[in-house]
Amino acid sequence: MKLLLAGATGLVGGHVLAQALADPRIDAVIAPVRRALPAHPKLLAPTVDFEALPEDAPWWAADAAISALGTTIRKAGSQEAFRRVDHGYQLAVARLASRHGTPVFVLNSALGADPASRIFYSRVKGELERDLAGLDFASLTFVRPGLIGGERLESRPAERAALVLLGILGPVLPRAWRINPAKRIAAAMIEAAIAAKPGTHVVTSAELV
């Protein structure tokens, strides 16, 4: 199996990459990135500009694609810049993968994703899900975590405080509100990519505890 992975340098994407490289069911991982990754016998990591992706690259043709691309409004600098990454970049990857015949797509989305949401973040996630559903994938899965647990390279004080609070309250909270470990999210995405169930599917935050 050949797996295409976008977002391999992020928290969830990094776990997807590590698990995929260690998984004997996956023969090769193609991870287009902006900065170089450590070499691995199963890994092809072409350096790309997500503003101008190479449309004719042969590695867009894979057995399945996973997207864990993403940023924050604070890091992006504006809502417009956030939308360009979280919606524009991911949709561009999906369109190219679909155009080259990749039949399976798995998205790391978010709890509350809804194109009609009044919350900007949730609305962008929902719009991306809607637009991906309009592409010609035989199998499409939206993984919708809540608060993601794991060590990030960048500092996110508010998220860290929320993780501490939810860690304390976890045992008494509904499963949908508990912390979703990045490793668990990554594993769910890989399983969805390999299973390639026909149609559109959602993995809820309650399933990622």
Side-chain angles (χ1 to χ4, degrees), residues 111-112 144-149 162-181 204-209:
L111 175 69
R144 294 178 180 168
L147 193 59
I148 300 172
L163 284 168
V164 171
L165 180 60
L166 289 183
I168 295 171
L169 298 176
V172 299
L173 289 174
R175 289 182 65 86
W177 295 358
R178 297 180 192 177
I179 295 171
N180 295 152
T204 66
S205 59
E207 299 174 74
L208 299 168
V209 174

